[in-house]
Amino acid sequence: MQYAKILGTGSHLPANRVSNDDLAKKVDTSDEWITTRTGIKFRHIAADDEKTSDLGAAAARRALAAANLSADEIDLVIVATATPDMQFPSTATIIQQKLGITNGSPAFDVQAVCAGFMYALTTANAYIKSGMAKKALVIGAETFSRIVDWNDRATCVLFGDGAGAVVLGASDEPGIIHSKLQADGNYLDLLKVPGQIAGGKICGSPYVKMDGPGVFKFAVKMLAKVADDVIREAGFTTDKIDWLVPHQANKRIIDSTAKHLHLPSEKVILTVQDHGNTSAASIPLALDAGIQSGQIRRDQHLLLEGIGGGFAWGAVLVKY
Ligand code: UT7
């Protein structure tokens, strides 16, 4: 039985760190409102010349170093992003080029917004389990600051830029134990960027539109269910989970999932305060932070979960 094992992780945040008080000088908000409603304290904003691929490549270099691998040993690159550098080609091929991977292995993006890393990790796992890849680089990278309306206090305080990366390698030992992906397009209006280029013009808003309370309720319900499903389907039990590594959008949503699973806050990796909602980047950012801080250790069991626009959501059970 082939498993996909996490060989190394890395992350990268842009240098420009913006506090809640900084934002309160620009829009009608406050540190108190943002902190109590979301848990967010800071977000990082990419410089004008810093692209999603730059953030992703920086995180990937760190993950490769942690895995003690050279870039050319990678035979699959998957990038989860909703903020690609260009309409095409994929950000994955741009990162492949920036890393100097010249072995001709496949590289492509997956688009599942905040659930993107769950989708990318699960896809890479399937490649490795089927023998189609031996060493995969899975990246979540976003520049959401470019698609938020900085005059809309209901959304601009929530999001930030960043990237996280994981190197997966084929192994006889687990590894990714089980994963579950889900989507329901009937909820697409809860969270979207409706704009698109048609006839040389942007038709519709190019900014994030969100029904915050609607997303909140849906997220709480579906994350609890998918977490239960993945644990049950794996023949696993909640008490054996060492760490919940959730999508970092809102501390209240994370607390709700942890409470549902009867996991105390000491078993939850929480980084939303440091970088806000970085969409597809948030789970690998949290995972890397947990590993770097020494909280997450080898052989521990991790439950990763995320949800976002689509709606799309998923959870992955991993032995680190
Ligand atoms: O990755 C998945 C993507 N998104 C999410 O996970 C977000 C899920 N939703 C949420 O996290 C929460 O719904 C929010 C944090 C977005 C909003 O919190 P809420 O408790 O649901 O607030 P609300 O939208 O119901 O707004 C409450 C009040 C409103 O004022 P009134 O109508 O009560 O006078 C808003 O206008 O808060 C006001 N408000 C703000 N006030 C200060 C909205 N945004 C702000 C703000 N600062 N930034």
Side-chain angles (χ1 to χ4, degrees):
M1 176 92 163
Q2 279 285 285
Y3 289 97
K5 197 159 179 65
I6 296 176
L7 303 182
T9 62
S11 59
H12 177 74
L13 290 165
N16 180 20
R17 193 171 81 139
V18 177
S19 70
N20 291 344
D21 287 332
D22 294 333
L23 277 186
K25 291 177 194 141
K26 293 181 182 157
V27 287
D28 182 15
T29 190
S30 64
D31 175 49
E32 199 264 335
W33 191 95
I34 301 170
T35 305
T36 54
R37 302 278 173 146
T38 72
I40 298 166
K41 286 285 188 188
F42 299 95
R43 72 283 298 141
H44 292 247
I45 306 295
D48 287 347
D49 61 352
E50 216 169 9
K51 296 180 175 162
T52 295
S53 63
D54 294 315
L55 306 183
R61 281 188 195 100
R62 289 184 182 148
L64 285 167
N68 206 15
L69 289 176
S70 70
D72 231 28
E73 290 176 83
I74 294 296
D75 58 5
L76 172 68
V77 180
I78 306 181
V79 176
T81 187
T83 49
D85 286 15
M86 306 180 195
Q87 179 94 27
F88 72 81
S90 69
T91 304
T93 55
I94 300 169
I95 290 177
Q96 193 194 40
Q97 186 259 341
K98 283 184 176 169
L99 294 177
I101 299 174
T102 54
N103 56 20
S105 55
F108 58 90
D109 290 358
V110 300
Q111 220 285 39
V113 206
C114 301
F117 195 75
M118 295 295 83
Y119 273 65
L121 200 62
T122 300
T123 306
N125 181 43
Y127 267 72
I128 288 176
K129 281 184 91 137
S130 68
M132 283 173 69
K134 291 265 179 265
K135 291 194 170 56
L137 186 53
V138 189
I139 301 167
E142 302 276 18
T143 46
F144 250 63
S145 63
R146 306 220 163 106
I147 56 165
V148 291
D149 177 354
W150 286 99
N151 296 310
D152 175 16
R153 69 176 183 172
T155 51
C156 76
V157 303
L158 304 174
F159 296 97
D161 303 335
V166 164
V167 176
L168 290 179
S171 166
D172 297 332
E173 305 281 321
I176 291 177
I177 297 168
H178 188 54
S179 83
K180 181 159 187 147
L181 300 179
Q182 299 203 276
D184 189 341
N186 287 308
Y187 294 88
L188 65 90
D189 285 331
L190 285 180
L191 176 56
K192 60 183 175 182
V193 176
Q196 58 166 336
I197 295 175
K201 288 185 293 193
I202 295 177
C203 301
S205 169
Y207 299 123
V208 174
K209 302 286 168 203
M210 180 171 71
D211 167 1
V215 170
F216 193 98
K217 280 187 221 126
F218 192 76
V220 162
K221 192 167 132 195
M222 291 312 179
L223 287 174
K225 178 150 184 0
V226 79
D228 284 347
D229 286 352
V230 99
I231 291 165
R232 190 189 63 254
E233 287 169 13
F236 207 70
T237 48
T238 312
D239 55 296
K240 286 193 263 170
I241 292 172
D242 295 294
W243 292 101
L244 177 66
V245 188
H247 170 46
Q248 309 283 323
N250 183 314
K251 182 175 183 298
R252 291 187 295 140
I253 297 176
I254 294 170
D255 288 347
S256 163
T257 310
K259 190 174 167 206
H260 174 81
L261 294 170
H262 303 290
L263 290 173
S265 58
E266 298 76 47
K267 291 190 167 193
V268 179
I269 301 292
L270 190 71
T271 56
V272 69
Q273 65 283 357
D274 300 326
H275 53 66
N277 184 348
T278 57
S279 182
S282 92
I283 296 170
L285 270 165
L287 177 63
D288 188 50
I291 291 168
Q292 295 305 324
S293 67
Q295 292 168 283
I296 296 174
R297 296 189 309 274
R298 282 288 173 196
D299 295 330
Q300 288 187 325
H301 289 96
L302 323 177
L303 182 68
L304 283 49
E305 46 86 345
I307 187 163
F311 251 73
W313 63 99
V316 178
L317 182 65
V318 190
K319 185 175 183 190
Y320 174 60

